[in-house]
């Protein structure tokens, strides 16, 4: 979007503009409200929450809820805090994103620049796989992971996320590479470069924008996944599942401030990626269409 | 046996044959242009020479070696693409030496070759730029430079000028011609622009619907087109083709046509062999420059026929004035000197140079005379 | 590609490499997506309970499924949830996009604010809204503290209205994304057309209704497809926000499938419900993808 900053030709009157600004303001508050409440209340002692107003700023500021959420809160039966689960998520996300992105890039390269009989059908199959409801694969996946000895393990979760991430990463790279002329590869072939050399020397160096898009997409999806983590994680739970356990635990007093600190911790990596690289996401999505 | 030999080559995509039994031999140092309308199979043929498309049947050989199954990089060819296909992430210098690098040529030699070619093409000052920072004409030069550096047996060009604006296209055309005259390399060049074909080539292959319609020097193609298709495709404005009939008077053959008022006119043939067509229908082909004002008629011609007819539209084009008139119910274009005194609707004496007329069989559309 | 001609080693190798590179991905997809789909479809015709069984029972699971009040409730809920969620998200997204497109000061600040919820996990969204909607401490409580004693907002505790709170949270999460899609569509419209229409004397209202909004058709279509896809798959949000309750009042097919398969040990019925979900999504996605692909070619 930021790439196109064209002005509309529409002129609006004073009153209309006022109404527009008021509406936008209301929605700004609507979108910010939950974040504001979470942040503010994660910095209060519990007594201030149960006894006070959720909208008011803390009277006594404290980072104790954050410390607890990170290292000592009760998750399930163990008082470990979210830290080990955060590490689980990192260990799962990094390889899963890397593998699915590399495979997507290679697939996109083959499907656009080395087309062969039946490649359209293969692309169609990969594309459709992006949109299945995962409920349809839960039962056999549980069986297969068990047979492979990967149930309840990080490699098992990596496998699941790679398998169901390939479709999207292939889609992104295919659409991006399609905007570069096939002649580029033909010229390199005549120059004497082979399949991998062309990929490495010519395609990869121009893949920056779409790689950003693909990594952000995969990272957000895999980090935020709950269904697979809950179904196949077993003891090795990712952050989302642990957060849910923390929040839903029925024992003891509900420590809302700790819950909020935990929720923010779970959201932090994706929020950070979004803040740092969100701009490139939109730009990268448009890059393909601009190049052609 | 030529330097580059294309023998009986066909190409099919699935059940569809897009090239039919193509036979072309190219001599060393020749500049062969493949010309034809969009979709006639020019690029396909060029890609087959390059090894980028498989050959369905037939043989292609370079210097006597059959190269049908040889990898593109091992054919010692270089190709310039319509989109230039410059590697966007590499500098101009890297672009030009990439092929040498891939062939294991050591760096000092690569740099020496780069220097020579850059000098030849006058792009020495561009070597450190990326393709994105070049103008269209400069990209075109770099693309040619990348081909030249390899010093290949055969150069292949696929519509290299069609992405340039009109002025630059004419300049680059001249430059390619100069380059060829200097280097005397063998070139196969694809274009759909018949003027490019005429100006650049030593020989032209006119293609249509997967067939080579005619293979010959530019003069042969222009003066004695093999059929109506070639006649009308080459030349601008296109050759006038009139349905006509051969009639005999006192042993001399004439073409009988109708003027704008429907009155019969007779044009005397220069060709001797027309008697055998007496009484039969023919197609009479006359190029616009062979229909002139009387003063503009060719002095060397032995057979200028005068014809009075009504002028339709006049189109002054600077150097010449084009005039349309109606013959046999068709609009005919004539080419006058710029200062010829012509006006729309006026009756005018046209001079037709029948020496240059070409006659076609109306059934097969093949040329029957001269 | 050639048949009659013997190719050199390098050419043959280069013809094979691309296929070899694609093979693992294709293999994995064929097994883990299409193979699994076939397997689940098969299971839905068996009497599998706690473990897969291979005794075919015909349509029994489907018959049973549609007689289960829990399933009827789940699909009713889905119908309510999906239609409100899609309509409201599109309405808000379109409105915000049109408003943002009026040379608004601070557009660069507002856009990311509208969009950021998309980066969050549904679990986080659910946690936050669960608390905001809790009458004891959330919005209702705050209003009371601010002196609006009669304010009453306890939908999340009310089995009649709880499904609407799911709509609220889901709209909060994705309407900004819909806004972005419409904004991209608006920015893609040729300004000359608008100028021409203004010269023709069209009012702003007419300009939007008659000229601009009809041109946003692709954005409407993709929004609809993406939102309906999200709605049918909704699982995490329910778990975090309501846990399916109060009672079973916010169960959706996704939660139904999970509980029947893994906690109630009715795998055959669970598989049948998953098949129904797949068919629903396919009915929406396949025509859409087909049209898209044909356009792009
Ligand atoms: N991969 C393919 N599969 C099927 N048919 C093809 C394929 N490539 C080319 N063709 C067909 O072969 C014919 C010749 O194509 P080619 O690209 O050689 O034309 P061209 O003469 O270069 O045209 P242009 O001037 O438009 O470049 C066309 O009819 C085209 O539709
Ligand atoms: Mg072509």
């Amino acid at each position: 979007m930021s790439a196109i900053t064209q002005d509309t030709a529409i002129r609006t009157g004073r009153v209309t503009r006022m109404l527009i600004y008021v509406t936008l303001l209301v929605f700004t508050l609507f979108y910010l409200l939950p974040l504001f409440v979470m942040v503010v209340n994660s910095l209060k002692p519990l007594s201030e929450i149960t006894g006070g107003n959720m909208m008011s700023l803390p009277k006594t500021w404290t980072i104790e809820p954050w410390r607890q959420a990170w290292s000592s809160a009760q998750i399930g039966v163990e008082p470990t805090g979210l830290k080990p689960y955060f590490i689980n998520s990192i260990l799962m996300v990094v390889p899963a994103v890397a593998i699915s992105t590399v495979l997507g890039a290679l697939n996109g390269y083959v499907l656009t620049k080395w087309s062969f009989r039946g490649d359209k059908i293969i692309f169609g199959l990969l594309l459709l796989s992006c949109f299945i409801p995962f409920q349809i694969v839960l039962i056999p996946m549980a069986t297969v992971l068990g047979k492979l000895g990967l149930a309840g393990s990080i490699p098992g979760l990596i496998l699941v996320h790679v398998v169901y991430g390939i479709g999207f990463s292939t889609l992104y790279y295919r659409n991006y590479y399609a905007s570069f002329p096939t002649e580029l590869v033909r010229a390199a072939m005549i120059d004497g470069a082979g399949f991998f050399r062309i990929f490495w020397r010519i395609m990869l160096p121009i893949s920056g924008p779409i790689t950003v898009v693909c990594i952000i997409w995969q990272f957000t999806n895999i980090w935020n996944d709950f269904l697979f983590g809950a179904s196949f994680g077993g003891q090795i739970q990712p952050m989302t599942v642990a957060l849910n356990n923390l929040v839903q635990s029925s024992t003891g007093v509900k420590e809302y401030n700790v819950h909020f600190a935990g929720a923010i911790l779970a959201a932090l990596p994706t929020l950070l990626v979004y803040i740092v690289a969100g701009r490139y996401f939109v730009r990268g999505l448009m890059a393909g269409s601009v190049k052609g | 046996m030529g330097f580059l030999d294309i023998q009986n080559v066909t190409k099919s995509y699935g059940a569809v044959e897009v090239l039919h039994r193509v036979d072309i031999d190219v001599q060393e140092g020749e500049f062969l242009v493949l010309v034809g309308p969009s979709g006639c199979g020019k690029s396909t043929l060029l890609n087959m020479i390059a090894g980028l498309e498989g050959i369905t049947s037939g043989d292609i050989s370079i210097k006597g070696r059959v190269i049908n199954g040889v990898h593109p990089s091992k054919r010692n060819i270089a190709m310039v693409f319509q989109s230039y296909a410059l590697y966007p992430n590499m500098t101009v210098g890297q672009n030009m030496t990439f092929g040498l690098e891939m062939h294991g040529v050591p760096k000092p030699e690569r740099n020496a070759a780069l220097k020579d070619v850059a000098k030849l093409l006058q792009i020495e000052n561009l070597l450190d730029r990326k393709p994105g920072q070049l103008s269209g004409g400069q990209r075109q030069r770099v693309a040619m430079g990348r081909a030249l550096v390899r010093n290949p047996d055969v150069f292949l060009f696929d519509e290299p000028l069609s992405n340039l604006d009109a002025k630059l296209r004419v300049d680059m055309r001249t430059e390619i011609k100069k380059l060829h005259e200097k280097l005397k390399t063998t070139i196969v060049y694809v274009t759909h622009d018949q003027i490019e074909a005429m100006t650049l080539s030593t020989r032209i292959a006119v293609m249509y619907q997967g067939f080579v319609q005619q293979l010959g020097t530019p003069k042969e193609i222009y003066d004695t087109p093999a059929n109506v298709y070639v006649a009308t495709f080459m030349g601008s404005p296109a050759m006038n083709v009139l349905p006509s009939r051969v009639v005999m008077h006192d042993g001399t053959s004439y073409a009988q046509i109708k003027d704008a008022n429907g009155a019969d006119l007779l044009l005397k043939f220069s060709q001797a062999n027309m008697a055998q067509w007496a009484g039969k229908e023919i197609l009479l082909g006359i190029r616009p420059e062979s229909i002139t004002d009387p003063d503009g008629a060719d002095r060397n011609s032995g057979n200028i026929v005068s014809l009075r007819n009504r002028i339709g539209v006049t189109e002054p084009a600077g150097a010449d004035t084009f005039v349309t008139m109606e013959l046999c119910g068709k609009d005919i274009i004539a080419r006058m000197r710029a200062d010829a005194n012509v006006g729309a609707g006026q009756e005018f004496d046209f001079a037709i140079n029948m020496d240059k007329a070409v006659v076609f069989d109306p059934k097969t559309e093949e040329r029957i005379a001269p | 590609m050639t048949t009659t001609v013997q190719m050199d080693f390098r050419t043959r190798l280069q013809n094979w490499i691309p296929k070899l590179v694609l093979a693992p991905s294709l293999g994995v997809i064929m097994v883990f997506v299409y193979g699994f789909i076939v397997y689940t479809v098969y299971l839905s015709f068996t009497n599998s309970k706690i473990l897969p069984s291979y005794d075919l029972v015909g349509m029994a699971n489907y018959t049973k499924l549609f007689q289960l009040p829990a399933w009827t409730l789940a699909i009713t809920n889905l119908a309510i949830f999906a239609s409100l969620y899609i309509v409201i998200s599109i309405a808000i997204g379109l409105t915000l996009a049109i408003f943002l497109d009026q040379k608004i000061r601070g557009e660069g600040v507002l856009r990311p604010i509208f969009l950021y919820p998309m980066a969050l996990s549904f679990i986080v969204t659910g946690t936050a809204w669960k608390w905001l909607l809790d009458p004891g401490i959330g919005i209702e409580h705050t209003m009371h503290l601010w002196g609006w004693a009669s304010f009453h907002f306890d939908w999340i505790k009310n089995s009649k209205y709880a499904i609407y709170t799911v709509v609220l949270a889901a709209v909060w999460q994705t309407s900004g994304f819909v806004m972005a899609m419409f904004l991209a569509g608006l920015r893609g419209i040729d300004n000359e057309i608008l100028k021409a229409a203004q010269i023709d004397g069209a009012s702003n209202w007419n300009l939007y209704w008659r000229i601009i909004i009809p041109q946003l058709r692709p954005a409407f279509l993709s929004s609809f497809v993406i939102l309906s896809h999200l709605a049918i798959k909704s699982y995490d949000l329910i778990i975090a926000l309501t846990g399916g309750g109060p009672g079973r009042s916010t169960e959706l097919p996704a939660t139904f499938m999970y509980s029947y398969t893994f906690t109630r040990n009715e795998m055959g019925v669970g598989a049948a419900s998953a098949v129904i979900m797949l068919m629903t999504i396919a009915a929406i996605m396949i025509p859409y993808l087909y049209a898209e692909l044909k356009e792009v070619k």
Side-chain angles (χ1 to χ4, degrees), chain B residues 185-198:
Chain B
T185 42
T186 312
I187 294 179
V188 181
Y189 185 109
V190 163
T191 179
H192 59 251
D193 178 348
Q194 44 94 18
I195 298 180
E196 249 172 58
M198 294 295 292

Side-chain angles (χ1 to χ4, degrees), chain C:
Chain C
M1 252 194 272
T2 57
T3 44
T4 56
V5 186
Q6 188 61 45
M7 284 176 286
D8 65 9
F9 174 70
R10 172 143 203 216
T11 310
R12 263 178 299 160
L13 184 69
Q14 290 289 328
N15 278 346
W16 271 105
I17 289 178
K19 290 166 198 164
L20 287 178
V21 165
L22 201 57
S25 298
L26 182 64
V28 154
I29 292 290
M30 288 317 286
V31 174
F32 285 82
V33 176
Y34 297 98
F36 282 10
I37 289 177
V38 170
Y39 183 79
T40 305
V41 170
Y42 179 78
L43 280 189
S44 74
F45 294 109
T46 67
N47 66 351
S48 305
K49 296 291 178 200
I50 186 165
L51 288 173
S53 129
Y54 300 102
D55 298 331
L56 290 170
V57 290
M59 296 296 290
N61 290 323
Y62 291 91
T63 324
K64 185 170 172 194
L65 183 66
F66 281 94
Q67 283 164 355
L68 280 174
W71 175 252
T72 321
L73 183 64
I75 50 178
T76 316
N77 279 339
L78 178 63
I80 297 173
F81 167 65
S83 46
L84 285 175
Y85 167 58
I86 292 169
V87 169
I88 297 175
S89 291
I90 287 182
I92 292 180
L94 180 61
T95 310
L96 291 181
I98 289 176
F99 284 5
L100 270 190
D101 200 34
Q102 310 297 324
K103 292 187 211 156
I104 289 301
R105 227 170 280 163
E107 187 200 323
V109 181
L110 293 179
R111 229 173 25 198
I113 292 179
F114 294 173
L115 255 172
Y116 87 91
M118 198 61 190
L120 303 182
S121 155
F122 274 115
I123 298 289
V124 173
T125 304
T127 307
W129 279 100
K130 179 193 177 114
W131 196 79
L132 280 170
L133 296 169
D134 188 323
I137 33 175
I139 297 172
E140 184 179 310
H141 182 63
T142 307
M143 290 299 170
H144 292 173
L145 286 179
W146 281 350
W148 186 354
S150 61
F151 185 85
H152 196 64
F153 188 47
D154 64 348
W155 288 5
I156 200 165
K157 301 277 185 204
N158 183 329
S159 53
K160 234 191 190 150
Y161 294 113
I163 190 73
Y164 302 109
T165 64
V166 182
V167 175
L168 175 64
V171 164
W172 178 82
Q173 169 127 3
T174 47
S175 49
F177 177 69
V178 177
M179 180 275 306
M181 283 197 285
F182 278 115
L183 196 57
L186 284 172
R187 299 276 152 94
I189 291 178
D190 187 357
N191 240 335
E192 311 243 300
I193 299 175
L194 305 188
K195 286 186 184 140
Q198 281 180 326
I199 291 168
D200 283 345
S203 63
N204 277 351
W205 177 257
N206 269 327
L207 211 55
Y208 272 102
W209 268 120
R210 305 272 298 278
I211 297 175
I212 297 179
I213 292 179
Q215 286 196 62
L216 292 176
R217 231 181 76 106
F220 274 103
L221 205 61
S222 5
S223 304
F224 173 76
V225 168
I226 292 173
L227 292 171
S228 51
H229 178 239
L230 280 174
I232 296 170
K233 280 165 81 164
S234 282
Y235 175 73
D236 339 9
L237 183 61
I238 300 289
I239 296 295
L241 187 68
T242 64
R248 276 195 204 145
S249 60
T250 52
E251 290 278 359
L252 289 184
T255 56
F256 173 95
M257 184 273 165
Y258 199 91
S259 61
Y260 266 73
T261 309
F262 295 111
T263 54
R264 286 167 182 256
N265 301 329
E266 287 271 13
M267 195 175 275
V269 177
S273 68
V275 171
I276 303 283
M277 289 175 67
L278 176 72
M279 281 172 17
T280 317
I281 287 191
I284 297 168
M285 295 305 300
I286 289 178
Y288 171 73
L289 291 178
Y290 184 76
E292 285 279 288
L293 281 184
K294 233 175 50 180
E295 225 165 82
V296 180
K297 212 191 66 162

Side-chain angles (χ1 to χ4, degrees), chain B residues 13 18 37-44 159 192:
Chain B
Y13 288 110
V18 297
S38 190
C40 69
K42 314 176 292 283
S43 298
T44 306
E159 310 210 15
H192 59 251

